[in-house]
Amino acid sequence: MSATPPRNAVVAFIGIGANLDDPIGKVRIALNEIDRLPATRVVRRSSLYRTAPVGYNDQPEFINAVAEVLTELEPRQLLDMLLAIEARHGRVRGARNAPRTLDLDVLLFGDRILTEPELSVPHPRMHERAFVLVPLAEIAPHASIPGHGSAAELAARVARHGVTLVGPA
């Protein structure tokens, strides 16, 4: 983790997933790369979870995690840096819900609500997805998903079939 915490930092949560080319390794490496972003520090990381694919089922299971970060970056800056990490790991954007080497999503960014062409915060559908809610509730049970409730409340209500604890990130 970075030595110095950002001074005017916002708490943000980043969803991390992969199901190709050593997904456990990719998620762990991505967590370390996120921690090295400018003006950003990972303060908590969830365990790793093996999860069933959503939407397109004919693909390998995913490894998912969530990171809590403190960042001085603006949401779009953070997203651009996350997309650069994805690209370095061979992420090719194609069909929705397709297999991927790495997927990094800004889930929450402080209490901001944003709707831009390539960035929506809170992340759409996160309140319905066990692969996001279970790791988020592990590290931040009281995190609020605007209009839906806390991570812990939502994780308790969502179907958890296909979500299995793998181990530490």
Side-chain angles (χ1 to χ4, degrees):
M1 296 199 191
S2 317
T4 309
R7 290 181 300 276
N8 299 312
V10 172
V11 174
F13 293 92
I14 299 169
I16 306 158
N19 73 339
L20 298 175
D21 302 335
D22 182 23
I24 290 174
K26 291 277 192 219
V27 171
R28 287 179 172 151
I29 289 168
L31 282 160
N32 292 330
E33 290 184 27
I34 292 165
D35 193 47
R36 290 192 303 268
L37 291 176
T40 301
R41 179 172 60 110
V42 172
V43 293
R44 281 191 277 190
R45 38 176 95 193
S46 75
S47 300
L48 301 178
Y49 292 86
R50 186 173 313 282
T51 63
V54 173
Y56 173 63
N57 295 328
D58 189 20
Q59 62 179 313
E61 291 180 313
F62 280 82
I63 297 297
N64 289 99
V66 169
E68 178 181 352
V69 301
L70 290 174
T71 186
E72 292 183 65
L73 300 172
E74 288 299 315
R76 184 65 214 199
Q77 291 175 302
L78 179 59
L79 177 63
D80 288 344
M81 291 183 183
L82 296 176
L83 293 175
I85 293 171
E86 286 183 357
R88 283 196 302 274
H89 289 277
R91 170 74 189 266
V92 177
R93 293 195 174 265
R96 187 174 178 175
N97 298 321
R100 56 202 69 169
T101 56
L102 188 60
D103 186 27
L104 302 173
D105 293 314
V106 178
L107 302 173
L108 297 167
F109 195 93
D111 59 2
R112 294 195 198 179
I113 297 174
L114 302 166
T115 303
E116 298 176 5
E118 295 178 7
L119 177 62
S120 292
V121 176
H123 192 279
R125 300 170 307 283
M126 71 177 281
H127 62 281
E128 302 169 342
R129 294 181 166 173
F131 67 85
V132 172
L133 293 171
V134 172
L136 177 61
E138 175 192 332
I139 63 170
H142 301 295
S144 176
I145 293 93
H148 299 286
S150 75
E153 293 166 343
L154 294 166
R157 290 194 300 244
V158 73
R160 291 181 183 224
H161 64 278
V163 177
T164 306
L165 179 65
V166 172

